[in-house]
Amino acid sequence: MMENMEFVSLTVPPTEILTGSSWWFAIQEDRILIQQDPGGTTMPLLKDPAELGLPILRQHYLGQLAGSDCFAVEVGKGAGPPANMRFEGLRQVYGLMGEGAFALAGRALQIVDWDRTHKFCGRCGSKTRIHLTERAKECPQCGLLHFPRLAPAIIVLIQRDREVLLARGRRFESPMYSTLAGFVEPGETLEQAVVREVKEESGITVKDIRYFGSQPWPFPHSLMIGFTANYASGEITLNDGENVDVRWFTADNLPQLPDKMSIARKLIDSFLERQASPPHPRGE
Ligand SMILES: [Zn+2]
């Protein structure tokens, strides 16, 4: 039910107080509270978070979803959630509610996590406080601002004729293959990060780097920036120890792939669509 609602991000509640119920994104450690209704799974929509019966440790305003206020709160351990509610991992939220709710849940979790891991100034060690107008924590002693952490990472699908380059990461729990990815370094453009990561992880040089799309990836605070690229030169070599295997695959001989929710899978699916319907020049 939350899927088709429009979300407006706000740091400070508007002066006009909304009197209806609000959406509460309640985080306990690294899990989020969901509500099971006869009509489906949703987040709790409540007038007062006290209805949850859980101690509220910190609270942040997120914005408005279809005209209702949204809050992220960290809750402590109490007697347990109300009867029709339970805590779930973020990945499960996607399966139960879809991309819109997953994005908001990820936003709530990251803001709560940033707040609880930036209690003290990284420069002078003083206790920080919430900035009044910005999504920031400021140091009252030295003035340093601490913003929510966001780590940009590139992810790239590399094609060579009818083949795609996929890698099996050392840290993957299942025998799955995915597109190459890595964090952007300070001072680097996204395109330079693509070239460097691909070279490091596969030994291959790429060309025709094109933007594909992006996806917030709150595990714990990445922003995945997707690209497609074509093979230019080189042979596969496993240099940096991040992967146990890197290989070319054709559409009819694919290994186990990442979950549908990931941009990696969306990149691979776009390759498969191109393979299924090769472009025909007009008039042919
Ligand atoms: Zn300071």
Side-chain angles (χ1 to χ4, degrees):
M1 70 181 278
M2 298 170 72
E3 270 322 286
N4 302 318
M5 296 181 180
E6 193 194 346
F7 176 71
V8 180
S9 173
L10 296 165
T11 308
V12 182
T15 44
E16 186 190 336
I17 305 289
L18 296 173
T19 51
S21 298
S22 302
W23 298 100
W24 293 88
F25 292 80
I27 311 293
Q28 190 184 66
E29 293 179 334
D30 59 354
R31 294 183 305 156
I32 188 154
L33 190 62
I34 59 168
Q35 180 172 323
Q36 195 62 54
D37 288 339
T41 311
T42 180
M43 299 297 167
L45 188 63
L46 307 167
K47 275 200 160 38
D48 186 343
E51 293 173 45
L52 296 173
L54 295 164
I56 306 287
L57 305 180
R58 57 191 82 238
Q59 179 173 323
H60 289 270
Y61 186 66
L62 295 180
Q64 293 183 343
L65 184 64
S68 295
D69 289 317
C70 296
F71 292 91
V73 287
E74 184 183 16
V75 297
K77 285 186 178 162
N84 60 336
M85 298 186 199
R86 66 177 194 274
F87 288 99
E88 275 289 0
L90 200 50
R91 286 173 197 272
Q92 279 69 46
V93 169
Y94 184 89
L96 294 165
M97 279 177 255
E99 214 157 333
F102 170 73
L104 277 175
R107 179 189 288 252
L109 181 58
Q110 286 178 93
I111 287 172
V112 163
D113 192 53
W114 154 74
D115 188 3
R116 65 189 170 194
T117 55
H118 290 76
K119 292 179 197 162
F120 300 96
C121 175
R123 182 157 64 194
C124 76
S126 303
K127 209 168 192 302
T128 56
R129 63 184 176 204
I130 298 287
H131 195 279
L132 289 180
T133 54
E134 290 201 59
R135 182 83 68 206
K137 297 191 83 173
E138 67 177 339
C139 174
Q141 205 61 38
C142 76
L144 186 65
L145 292 175
H146 306 76
F147 296 97
R149 281 188 292 176
L150 204 50
I154 60 88
I155 181 160
V156 56
L157 180 121
I158 302 150
Q159 193 171 340
R160 183 177 72 178
D161 297 326
R162 300 185 69 81
E163 295 175 306
V164 62
L165 189 72
L166 300 174
R168 184 175 165 192
R170 192 170 293 284
R171 285 171 297 181
F172 292 173
E173 283 165 17
S174 58
M176 174 187 85
Y177 283 73
S178 187
T179 48
L180 300 184
F183 290 108
V184 181
E185 293 182 349
E188 206 173 39
T189 66
L190 297 174
E191 292 80 1
Q192 288 168 339
V194 168
V195 171
R196 176 185 52 76
E197 271 296 332
V198 172
K199 187 79 180 167
E200 281 175 10
E201 287 194 35
S202 70
I204 276 169
T205 305
V206 289
K207 61 181 182 183
D208 312 328
I209 298 166
R210 288 207 178 81
Y211 179 66
F212 174 82
S214 64
Q215 182 181 51
W217 194 245
F219 305 104
H221 46 253
S222 295
L223 172 65
M224 306 302 292
I225 305 144
F227 294 89
T228 58
N230 287 321
Y231 168 84
S233 63
E235 291 295 320
I236 292 175
T237 48
L238 292 175
N239 302 323
D240 67 352
E242 236 180 86
N243 300 304
V244 289
D245 191 22
V246 179
R247 223 189 284 184
W248 294 104
F249 292 92
T250 53
D252 56 4
N253 186 27
L254 285 171
Q256 187 183 326
L257 297 175
D259 191 277
K260 285 271 183 205
M261 71 189 271
S262 63
I263 191 170
R265 182 59 176 273
K266 286 170 185 166
L267 278 161
I268 296 167
D269 286 347
S270 80
F271 162 77
L272 294 176
E273 278 165 31
R274 286 196 297 277
Q275 294 304 298
S277 54
H280 289 284
R282 274 167 186 243
E284 208 177 74

